[in-house]
Amino acid sequence: MPRDNRSPWGGYRMARSRRKSKRRSSRSQNKLAPVTEALQSAGEKILPALTGPAGQQILALGLIGFGLLTIFTTAGLNSGALVNAWARVLVFLFGWGAFPVGAMITGLGLLWLRHLVHQPTAWRWRPFIGFELILVGMLTLTHTLISQLGWALV
């Protein structure tokens, strides 16, 4: 005996609404198909260029430039809507620690470039973790000492 799609209360069950949602999703997928194909073809062209040695050197130089831009913007030597928003986010998250974060971004770019150009660098993670722990400890210590409500928050 075939099952009826009617519920005991007189209406139809969810089977009808599922059919509608499938139709809607197929329509939206058809609209986005050219965009996704264009992004995939662009990714297939760009990714091999970035994974090569020249592409990685360009990315390392971009990271160095981004770190220097972060330092200059945080110090107030540069202005612009996007970089000021980035500096405000860093200052909100790290306070005075935004300066060492910019220096760390620049340093990572320099280490990456050194690794690619001169000689392979042995990446040791203990100094990075130690630096981060010292930075977080100094941030909390200065916040508790400088802020009037610092000890109340502790």
Side-chain angles (χ1 to χ4, degrees), residues 9-87:
W9 297 282
Y12 283 99
R13 290 189 185 163
M14 291 295 290
R16 246 182 136 174
S17 63
R18 286 184 190 157
R19 278 189 235 134
K20 287 182 182 177
S21 65
K22 285 182 184 177
R23 283 186 213 145
R24 288 181 190 154
S25 65
S26 66
R27 287 179 191 162
S28 63
Q29 287 176 355
N30 290 338
K31 290 179 182 177
L32 295 177
V35 175
T36 56
E37 289 174 8
L39 287 175
Q40 285 176 349
S41 67
E44 290 172 357
K45 293 176 186 175
I46 294 173
L47 190 61
L50 292 180
T51 56
Q56 287 188 1
Q57 290 174 6
I58 290 171
L59 287 176
L61 289 173
L63 190 63
I64 292 168
F66 180 68
L68 290 174
L69 184 68
T70 300
I71 292 171
F72 292 149
T73 305
T74 309
L77 301 174
N78 192 9
S79 65
L82 190 61
V83 291
N84 281 341
W86 169 246

Side-chain angles (χ1 to χ4, degrees), residues 78-106:
N78 192 9
S79 65
L82 190 61
V83 291
N84 281 341
W86 169 246
R88 279 183 281 160
V89 166
L90 281 179
V91 169
F92 176 74
L93 290 176
F94 298 107
W96 65 265
F99 293 103
V101 168
M104 190 169 58
I105 292 171
T106 306

Side-chain angles (χ1 to χ4, degrees), residues 137-149:
M138 293 299 292
L139 285 173
T140 55
L141 182 65
T142 56
H143 179 72
T144 55
L145 294 177
I146 293 173
S147 175
Q148 293 178 356
L149 300 175

